[in-house]
Amino acid sequence: MSGLPPRLQSILDDLSFFPERTERIQALISLADRYSAPDRPKPYPEEHRVPGCESEAFVWVETDSDGGLVIDFAVENPQGISAMAMGVILGDALRGEPPAMAARIPEEIVYEIFGRELSMGKSMGLMGMVRVTKFLAGRLAGRG
Amino acid sequence: MTSIETRGYVNAEILVSTDWVAENLNSPNVRIVESNEDPLLYVSGHIPGAVEIDWTRDLNDPVRRDYIDPEAFRALCSRLGITPETTVVFYGDRSNWWATYALWVFTLFGHTNVKLMDGGRLKWEKEGRTLTRETPSLTPSDYPSVQRDDQSNRAFREDVLRHLQSEGKLIDVRSPQEFTGERLHMPEYPNEGALRGGHIPGARSVPWAKAVNPEDGTFRSAEELRALYLEEAGVQPNEDIVVYCRIGERSSHTWFVLKHLLGFEQVRNYDGSWTEWGNSVGVPIER
């Protein structure tokens, strides 16, 4: 994959150092461990819910005063470890980037990160997080 | 939820409570096995002493669409320190979808000394019980090679066609939208997996989730299950039943309910399910 946001490319490069599945999983869990729920009032509005994500993920895509992206993910299901890792990755990769940069992230990035041995349900939930982020960032880019 | 013993199941011994598991963490003849949909979940924390069986990596043949062969099953059990005498207790995420799937595969190999933890991982976590990231240290065993029995609890496409000809009963455990053909996939899932939508002619629609209490994933009482399957769906314990879903995981959950909790004599899981039937040329489909 080319043309990815630099920090996302860096995360993929880091993960590529772990050819063993167990090591990659440990690295992803370390990312998930960094997840913390955003400081936003509950219940989260339904318009921020990621469709198809059974981990009950919610996303907010906004810009800071410099026009850079600020992305918050909330994962309501405590068993949604993969969704937490994905939220941390997307939040880190796109922080401060122009909204148009989000369009460069293909949904198939999920397989680059988690591997191909995902169930359909799991892969679609994670792809949904990417899809909604791209959609909301694209809307911000359109306004700009 | 009431205790398992008071719920009226035919084979109540196969279902164990979180309390039972907590009391048997160190039992030498018990191996606790976690099977999940989320590949990160086990490593992020599991019941102390539990091992993981991954539904894709450990149970499926890496090339053909089939389950592992006797040698791979022997190697899997030996690696996990399981002997034919070991009581294997399964639990997992998604209301035990993948746990019942693993239990069903163990049944194909004749390992019937199995149990399922009622409520699965969700209930264990909700009760605030201990989870650990510590990998258990295992002493490998020497599990014998056992032939897989694909007749008693598993149905293939040709079996289902014969079942149809003899007017046998089927239960479709997918969502109502998948059953009617409105969707070719689970709600919010991709529109892929099958070229045709609908259901196998004559199948009754009983979505798998109706068998569990949504708040903690425990199974409903036998009385509630009988109302669901015998009265609403019109199937009887002495009938030959085939269950199916999309790839056979949700239907292994219903197989467990019918076979063990309600004591149906002949229940087979058609694991080819809709991803095979909905792509097969010339097979009958109803909408």
Side-chain angles (χ1 to χ4, degrees), chain A residues 21 33 54 82 119 121 124, chain B residues 37-38 57 94 133 189-190:
Chain A
R21 177 179 182 271
D33 283 343
E54 290 156 347
S82 294
S119 71
M124 289 317 297
Chain B
E37 180 173 57
D38 191 324
R57 195 165 37 95
R94 305 298 308 274
R133 290 187 175 184
Y189 279 35

Side-chain angles (χ1 to χ4, degrees), chain A residues 21-22 24-26 28-30 32-33 51-55 77-83 85 111 114 117-122 124-125 131, chain B residues 37-45 52 54-57 92-94 97-98 121-123 125 133 135 185-190 192-193 246:
Chain A
R21 177 179 182 271
T22 48
R24 173 178 285 246
I25 283 177
Q26 289 288 1
L28 289 168
I29 287 171
S30 297
D33 283 343
C53 182
E54 290 156 347
S55 296
N77 182 349
Q79 298 187 13
I81 306 295
S82 294
Y111 294 119
F114 293 92
E117 292 176 342
L118 283 175
S119 71
M120 181 183 284
K122 187 55 61 183
M124 289 317 297
R131 195 179 309 127
Chain B
E37 180 173 57
D38 191 324
L40 304 190
L41 208 48
Y42 169 82
V43 185
S44 73
E52 182 186 28
D54 182 271
W55 68 280
T56 52
R57 195 165 37 95
D93 64 356
R94 305 298 308 274
W97 268 15
W98 305 97
R121 188 182 164 107
L122 173 68
K123 188 165 191 288
E125 280 196 65
R133 290 187 175 184
T135 307
H185 52 95
M186 282 193 270
E188 309 295 352
Y189 279 35
E192 62 180 40
R246 196 183 64 82

Side-chain angles (χ1 to χ4, degrees), chain A:
Chain A
M1 290 184 178
S2 59
L4 294 173
R7 280 197 295 278
L8 180 56
Q9 186 63 58
S10 173
I11 290 168
L12 291 182
D13 291 344
D14 288 347
L15 289 173
S16 71
F17 284 118
F18 303 115
E20 290 293 324
R21 177 179 182 271
T22 48
E23 293 174 334
R24 173 178 285 246
I25 283 177
Q26 289 288 1
L28 289 168
I29 287 171
S30 297
L31 287 167
D33 283 343
R34 287 175 42 210
Y35 165 81
S36 60
D39 185 18
R40 294 181 182 271
K42 285 189 175 183
Y44 301 133
E46 281 301 305
E47 61 262 32
H48 290 276
R49 182 185 287 276
V50 176
C53 182
E54 290 156 347
S55 296
E56 298 181 64
F58 293 77
V59 60
W60 292 260
V61 179
E62 297 164 350
T63 50
D64 59 21
S65 55
D66 295 325
L69 283 169
V70 178
I71 300 175
D72 279 346
F73 274 102
V75 178
E76 288 287 84
N77 182 349
Q79 298 187 13
I81 306 295
S82 294
M84 291 177 194
M86 193 72 210
V88 169
I89 289 170
L90 288 172
D92 279 3
L94 291 170
R95 186 181 307 112
E97 297 285 357
M101 183 66 91
R104 295 191 191 177
I105 302 179
E107 291 169 21
E108 291 73 26
I109 198 77
V110 164
Y111 294 119
E112 293 289 314
I113 295 169
F114 293 92
R116 291 262 159 200
E117 292 176 342
L118 283 175
S119 71
M120 181 183 284
K122 187 55 61 183
S123 58
M124 289 317 297
L126 296 169
M127 284 184 182
M129 294 175 73
V130 178
R131 195 179 309 127
V132 172
T133 302
K134 290 173 65 167
F135 172 76
L136 294 174
R139 212 161 57 180
L140 289 174
R143 282 182 203 156

Side-chain angles (χ1 to χ4, degrees), chain B:
Chain B
M1 190 63 205
T2 55
S3 70
I4 291 167
E5 296 74 24
T6 62
R7 288 188 226 157
Y9 302 138
V10 171
N11 180 12
E13 297 77 26
I14 201 165
L15 201 60
V16 293
S17 65
T18 49
D19 281 340
W20 186 96
V21 171
E23 289 162 9
N24 284 276
L25 291 180
N26 300 310
S27 297
N29 282 329
V30 171
R31 178 69 72 224
I32 301 165
V33 173
E34 179 165 334
S35 284
N36 296 318
E37 180 173 57
D38 191 324
L40 304 190
L41 208 48
Y42 169 82
V43 185
S44 73
H46 49 265
I47 293 177
V51 297
E52 182 186 28
I53 289 183
D54 182 271
W55 68 280
T56 52
R57 195 165 37 95
D58 293 325
L59 297 179
N60 279 271
D61 184 281
V63 180
R64 292 183 304 146
R65 184 177 177 187
D66 202 353
Y67 299 105
I68 52 177
D69 63 18
E71 175 52 31
F73 186 73
R74 189 198 68 75
L76 172 68
C77 290
S78 297
R79 173 171 64 82
L80 299 177
I82 294 170
T83 72
E85 291 73 39
T86 304
T87 299
V88 183
V89 183
F90 295 93
Y91 76 99
D93 64 356
R94 305 298 308 274
S95 299
N96 278 329
W97 268 15
W98 305 97
T100 50
Y101 184 79
L103 184 152
W104 174 71
V105 173
F106 267 60
T107 304
L108 299 183
F109 283 101
H111 194 111
T112 53
N113 193 6
V114 289
K115 294 182 185 295
L116 186 74
M117 187 176 85
D118 194 30
R121 188 182 164 107
L122 173 68
K123 188 165 191 288
W124 183 274
E125 280 196 65
K126 278 193 165 184
E127 290 170 350
R129 296 179 186 268
T130 303
L131 293 172
T132 180
R133 290 187 175 184
E134 192 175 324
T135 307
S137 106
L138 302 170
T139 304
S141 62
D142 187 16
Y143 200 92
S145 183
V146 181
Q147 286 304 307
R148 199 178 66 206
D149 172 10
D150 285 340
Q151 307 298 316
S152 307
N153 292 287
R154 186 182 189 191
F156 292 95
R157 194 188 75 140
E158 299 308 314
D159 298 325
V160 177
L161 284 166
R162 278 193 294 274
H163 192 67
L164 274 180
Q165 284 171 354
S166 61
E167 300 185 343
K169 290 185 177 173
L170 296 107
I171 294 182
D172 184 320
V173 315
R174 298 174 299 161
S175 64
Q177 294 88 351
E178 291 172 276
F179 181 79
T180 59
E182 181 186 337
R183 290 179 184 274
L184 295 176
H185 52 95
M186 282 193 270
E188 309 295 352
Y189 279 35
N191 200 8
E192 62 180 40
L195 290 170
R196 290 289 185 271
H199 55 267
I200 299 175
R204 274 76 162 166
S205 172
V206 186
W208 72 274
K210 288 190 171 183
V212 298
N213 296 297
E215 65 275 11
D216 63 1
T218 55
F219 286 102
R220 295 191 184 280
S221 70
E223 185 180 355
E224 292 171 309
L225 294 173
R226 285 193 191 96
L228 182 62
Y229 292 102
L230 277 63
E231 294 168 27
E232 288 181 36
V235 293
Q236 298 302 319
N238 60 353
E239 291 178 318
D240 182 5
I241 310 293
V242 170
V243 295
Y244 71 94
C245 57
R246 196 183 64 82
I247 60 169
E249 90 289 31
R250 284 176 285 176
S251 46
S252 62
H253 191 276
T254 300
W255 168 86
F256 179 87
V257 170
L258 296 178
K259 174 102 180 170
H260 292 296
L261 302 187
L262 294 183
F264 277 48
E265 292 166 14
Q266 178 67 45
V267 190
R268 289 175 291 165
N269 183 15
Y270 170 38
D271 56 279
S273 277
W274 198 255
T275 50
E276 179 178 54
W277 196 270
N279 284 315
S280 291
V281 176
V283 298
I285 289 175
E286 200 170 73
R287 284 187 177 170

